[in-house]
Amino acid sequence: MKWTFKTTLLALTVGTMGLVGCSDPETTAATGTDTEAATSTSTSDMPVQGVTDTEIILGGANDLSGPFAGFGNPAVAAANMYFDEVNAAGGVNGRKIRYIVEDHSYQVPKAVQSANKLVSRDKVFAMLMSLGTPHNLASFPIMDRANVPSIMPLTFARAMQEEGDFNRRYTAGSTYYDSIKLGMEYLIAENKVSNLCVMYIPSDYGEETNEAAKDISDSNPNVTLVQSSSHRPDETDFAGAMAKLKDAKCELIALSLTIRGAITAVGTANAMGWSDVKFIAPVTGFHPAVAAAPGGASEGLYSVSYYNDLALRANEPETKAWVEKFEKATGEEVSAGAILGYLAAKVTVDGLTAAGPDLNADTFNKGLETVSFVDGVTGSTVAITPESHVAINDIYLSQVQNGQWKTVTQLK
């Protein structure tokens, strides 16, 4: 299936609706098939799985057919594209990478089943880009028992950095809480906002946005959280809610809704002629489909992100070459999922390379903690240290202007 604007928007719209979709959990999507992987001896406290003299097996439990398929599929495609190039050049320290991805359709029971298969039967060395907060949390015990690290999961919830063994956890970017809090604080200072409001769905990023707003209100005597409303994931009529927020004299509204929900909320305010209010979305809102919403419905919306929109780097040779290569290989336009997939694969390969030929969880951990570069495609700074396992350290604030994301400032 080709992911057009409509299909991508539809997939992202229902992305927070919970347990939907169906697929065979035994379906693998990647370069390899279902095989038993040999274990090797190492200096680690327990035997290493997923590593042979010629191969490194990575696994991932992703959403390839459910509500987040519009995010998961391009992420996997971009990662495999990078791994294919590495393998064609001889692999990492003489070993080729095989990436086995199981489809959990955004269902937690299937995610656990997928993780159990990948860890126990496929004997993967590490889990890469597994999608979903509750899905990862439910799978961590299976992974930890086998000394399998979690690399760059496709969620920015705080639990991904706080739950379990620190040496087995690596994330792509700052948490939902930290990034949206920086964005709100910037807009509050720049626009002298005193009335803050939140519209959110009861999900990980929704709750973290609401908590960030509460903390700002508690710590800043000039700011009051005047209204915070919870919404169903499938809610699309915000006329009543927006009227109440206008009556409450909200000046800045943080929107932790679905993609369509955020677009509809901003569009509703615009249709009402409510022009003296600003809207900001968390990192989940920073997507080309949002900026390109029909009729300019999202015009003026702010969002935090970990990189600048690649359209702003269209003339950078490395960016241009990668975009063309991805679009030729997949027939799809570059999206947020593709960018994170590429970065996750690059970080993983750099960590494996630095670990050296004696590869185990301990050497991989030490190798990842030396990864540091300024990425030529996205322009983002990547730096992992023993003190911080967050890969992308930049946070930007962008705004939809004339149907495109434009960078307003770098927050961090």
Side-chain angles (χ1 to χ4, degrees), residues 196-219:
L196 178 64
C197 297
V198 180
M199 298 173 68
Y200 72 101
I201 58 175
S203 64
D204 46 303
Y205 76 92
E207 295 289 354
E208 289 189 28
T209 295
N210 193 42
E211 185 178 347
K214 288 179 180 178
D215 289 347
I216 290 173
S217 178
D218 289 343
S219 62

Side-chain angles (χ1 to χ4, degrees), residues 159-350:
M160 296 300 99
Q161 299 179 22
E162 298 172 353
E163 182 75 20
D165 187 344
F166 176 76
N167 286 338
R168 298 195 185 107
R169 306 284 185 263
Y170 293 86
T171 59
S174 297
T175 64
Y176 297 124
Y177 174 91
D178 289 336
S179 56
I180 192 67
K181 187 169 184 285
L182 283 176
M184 286 191 287
E185 288 173 336
Y186 176 87
L187 291 176
I188 288 169
E190 286 293 307
N191 298 280
K192 295 181 173 54
V193 169
S194 54
N195 290 346
L196 178 64
C197 297
V198 180
M199 298 173 68
Y200 72 101
I201 58 175
S203 64
D204 46 303
Y205 76 92
E207 295 289 354
E208 289 189 28
T209 295
N210 193 42
E211 185 178 347
K214 288 179 180 178
D215 289 347
I216 290 173
S217 178
D218 289 343
S219 62
N220 188 336
N222 298 317
V223 178
T224 301
L225 179 58
V226 297
Q227 190 158 328
S228 179
S229 58
S230 177
H231 299 268
R232 300 188 317 275
D234 60 347
E235 192 171 338
T236 57
D237 183 358
F238 296 105
M242 205 59 64
K244 290 181 181 179
L245 293 174
K246 186 177 181 180
D247 290 342
K249 300 187 185 327
C250 299
E251 297 167 294
L252 174 64
I253 303 175
L255 299 174
S256 278
L257 305 170
T258 62
I259 295 297
R260 176 163 294 186
I263 293 171
T264 303
V266 177
T268 300
N270 290 337
M272 291 169 55
W274 188 14
S275 59
D276 58 344
V277 63
K278 299 186 183 301
F279 296 91
I280 183 171
V283 294
T284 49
F286 189 71
H287 193 282
V290 174
S298 62
E299 192 70 15
L301 173 66
Y302 291 89
S303 179
V304 289
S305 68
Y306 305 128
Y307 50 86
N308 289 310
D309 189 275
L310 291 196
L312 303 177
R313 297 176 55 83
N315 294 325
E316 295 290 334
E318 195 168 345
T319 304
K320 186 173 185 292
W322 182 79
V323 169
E324 290 176 350
K325 184 164 49 180
F326 179 84
E327 292 180 350
K328 181 179 179 181
T330 65
E332 302 173 10
E333 294 182 356
V334 170
S335 65
I339 294 168
L340 289 175
Y342 152 76
L343 284 169
K346 185 172 184 177
V347 167
T348 301
V349 168
D350 281 10

